[in-house]
Amino acid sequence: MKAHVWVMPKTTVLDPQGQTIHHALSSLGFAAVKNVRQGKFFVLDLEGMTRDDAQKQLERIARDVLANPVIEEYRFEIVE
Amino acid sequence: MKAHVWVMPKTTVLDPQGQTIHHALSSLGFAAVKNVRQGKFFVLDLEGMTRDDAQKQLERIARDVLANPVIEEYRFEIVE
């Protein structure tokens, strides 16, 4: 089974990486880009569990390991 | 217009971040996780251009700025 996890800075939290990229794109002439936010993306391979169990484990993995829930939000998807 | 860009280490390239997370998950008891790969995810806001132009600019932004095509692969999607 394969799962995708997205971790993004909360919209209320500053995103210095995204801002830096935004400035870089502006100075390179990509004026149409009005905002950039950068997050993390994970691809996990899971084996030997039901879809329900995977769902539960992924919730814990995303919340406790991959994201910092104080400043980040996450979502995940079982893709196959 | 909103675009999503994914940048991942090529499958032929070592992914030390992913390996570190994989080991951490194993030692935390998540034995069902057999592999982890970590990449970057970007959300871009674009204004004042057609979908076709956006497609072209995004290709250049992803290839020239967000990804290092020697070791990373990318894909993007215009979402709204």
Side-chain angles (χ1 to χ4, degrees):
Chain A
M1 210 175 328
K2 237 186 181 47
H4 289 173
V5 184
W6 288 261
V7 175
M8 296 296 291
K10 285 186 180 173
T11 45
T12 49
V13 169
L14 272 182
D15 172 15
Q17 286 180 301
Q19 286 178 348
T20 302
I21 293 167
H22 183 201
H23 292 150
L25 290 174
S26 299
S27 64
L28 288 169
F30 295 105
V33 180
K34 296 306 177 196
N35 193 31
V36 180
R37 291 190 75 81
Q38 174 169 359
K40 292 174 279 185
F41 178 66
F42 302 89
V43 180
L44 280 75
D45 292 328
L46 298 146
E47 257 179 43
M49 54 192 339
T50 65
R51 221 181 159 83
D52 269 6
D53 284 347
Q55 196 86 18
K56 276 176 211 146
Q57 287 223 355
L58 280 166
E59 175 69 36
R60 288 177 50 208
I61 288 172
R63 192 189 56 219
D64 298 343
V65 184
L66 302 180
N68 173 355
V70 177
I71 54 167
E72 292 171 324
E73 57 193 14
Y74 59 87
R75 69 188 175 89
F76 60 86
E77 218 172 77
I78 297 171
V79 285
E80 58 187 60
Chain B
M1 209 174 330
K2 236 184 183 46
H4 289 173
V5 184
W6 289 260
V7 175
M8 295 297 291
K10 285 186 180 172
T11 45
T12 48
V13 169
L14 272 180
D15 172 14
Q17 286 180 300
Q19 286 178 348
T20 302
I21 293 166
H22 183 201
H23 291 151
L25 290 175
S26 299
S27 64
L28 288 168
F30 296 105
V33 180
K34 297 305 177 197
N35 193 31
V36 180
R37 291 191 75 81
Q38 175 169 0
K40 291 175 279 186
F41 178 66
F42 303 90
V43 180
L44 279 76
D45 292 328
L46 298 147
E47 259 179 41
M49 56 191 338
T50 65
R51 221 181 158 83
D52 269 5
D53 285 347
Q55 196 86 18
K56 277 177 210 143
Q57 287 223 356
L58 280 166
E59 175 68 35
R60 288 177 51 208
I61 288 172
R63 191 189 55 219
D64 299 342
V65 183
L66 302 180
N68 174 354
V70 178
I71 54 167
E72 292 171 324
E73 57 193 12
Y74 59 87
R75 69 190 175 86
F76 61 86
E77 216 172 78
I78 298 172
V79 285
E80 57 187 60

